[in-house]
Amino acid sequence: MDAVQAPIIPVLGDIMRQTPDTISLGQGVVHYGPPPAAIEAVRDALALPSTHEYQDGAGLPTLLDRIGRKLASENGIDVARGSRAMVTAGANMAFMHAVLAISEPGDEIVLNVPFYFNHEMAIQMAGCVPVRVGTDERYQLRPDALRRAITDRTRAIVTVSPNNPTGAVLGEASLREVSAICRDHGLYHIADEVYEYFTYGSARHFSPASIPGAEAFTISMYSLSKAYGFAGWRIGYLAYPEHLAVAMMKSQDTILCCPPVASQIAAAAALDVGRAYCDPYVRELAEIRHVVVDRLGALAPLATVPAADGAFYCLLKVNTEIDPLALAERLIREHRVAVVPGTAFGMTDGCYFRVAYGALQKETVAEGIGRLVDGLRAILR
Ligand SMILES: Cc1ncc(COP(=O)(O)O)c(C=O)c1O
C-alpha cells in the first residue's frame, strides 16, 4: 500500500475547505441526479423483504436481463454467446475484479498514459505491475508502442474511451488494432467504457468487444454513475469472457457478496428509461465544452489543450517548470479554482492539469475557467 498513490481528490478537498468559494473543476461527477422513476422504484421496493436480503451474486435477474438487452442493442455484445454480465458496486470494483480474475502477483498490465488513477492503484494492490505506455500529442493510442511493451508477463492492455482524464475519444481503428494485438498475444483487452454516452460532434463511441471473436478476451466495463447521475448508488457492470466466470464470482463473493439490492432496483428502472435520460445533459455539456475549449485555447502559448471530443474533461499542458501540485495549490488559495494535477494520471513529465466540467452549471464553469485563465496568467507572468 505504501507504493500506491494516495487519492488526490481528498487532498485538494482539504485545501478547498480552507478556501471558501472555490469553484471546483476537480472532481469527475455530473450535476444531475437519477431519473425520478428510479427513486420511485426503490420507494416501492422498500416494503419487500427481498430488498433487505442477500440476492444473487452476479446481480438481480431483472437487472441482468436489462443489461443484456442494452449490451446487445447498444454495444454489439451478446451475453448469450461467449460473454457473461455481472453487476458490481461501480466500475472501479469491476476493474478490481477483472485484475484479480486474470492475473497473479508479478504479472504486468499495460496502461496508456495518462491513465485513470484508480486503474493503476488497483493493479498495484493486486501485486501486479502497471506498465506505462505514452499516447500521442492528441492523447490517442500508439499501437506500435503498446506492441513493444509486451513481455511474457503481460496479461492485459487497458483502454479508456471516452477518456478520463483527457476527454479523447479513441479512434475505432486504433481500438481494433489493440484488440488484434491482444488476440495475437493471448492478452485480455480491458475496455473501460463508462463515458460511452458522452461524445460530441462527429465523435462516435466504439465497443471493442463487438469485434467478432473479441468477446473471448475482452472485458468491457460500464457504469451508471455518470450517465444516470447514480454515483452514490454504486452500480456498474461488466461483460466478460465466460471462461472467467468462476474467478469473477470468487472475487465478487469475497468483496461484495451481492450488489446492493435497493441500488439494483433503482438501476433496472433507470435502464428502462434508457440513454435518452442523459441525452439532454450531454447536449448541455457540449455547449459548456465549447466555452471551456475556447477560453483555454486563448492561453496559448502559455498553455495548450488538444480538443477533446468526449467525457467532460480536458487535459491542459502548462509550459512551466513549477511543480503541478504546488501550482494547483496556489490556484486554489490565490484564485479560488481547483483542478487536478496531471501527475495523478501518470503525467510526470511536465505540468498538466485535468479540467473537469461535468459537475457545474454553465455559468459556474465559465466563471471557474475565467479564474483558471486569469490565475495561470498571473502566476506565470
Ligand atoms: C474512467 C473511469 N472508470 C471508472 C470510474 C469509476 O466509476 P464508478 O463510479 O462506476 O466506480 C470512473 C469515475 O470517475 C472513471 O472516470
Side-chain angles (χ1 to χ4, degrees), residues 54-65 67 84-89 97 235-240 245 248-253 256-260 264:
Y54 290 128
Q55 299 295 340
D56 287 355
L60 293 178
T62 46
L63 177 56
L64 285 171
D65 175 63
I67 288 172
R84 293 264 176 102
M86 184 165 84
V87 182
T88 57
H97 284 332
I235 293 289
Y237 56 97
L238 37 65
Y240 64 90
M248 286 286 184
M249 290 316 298
K250 286 181 188 172
S251 184
Q252 176 90 327
D253 193 64
L256 189 61
C257 286
C258 71
Q264 292 190 79

Side-chain angles (χ1 to χ4, degrees), residues 28 90-92 116 119 160 164 192 194-195 223 225-226 234 313:
N92 268 11
Y116 171 53
H119 286 168
V160 181
N164 177 7
D192 180 320
V194 312
Y195 298 98
S223 171
S225 292
K226 322 286 169 173
R234 308 307 304 134
Y313 307 111

Side-chain angles (χ1 to χ4, degrees), residues 4-6 10 73 87 90 124 168 230 272 350 370:
V4 176
Q5 69 162 303
S73 64
V87 182
Q124 290 171 323
F230 242 66
D272 276 345

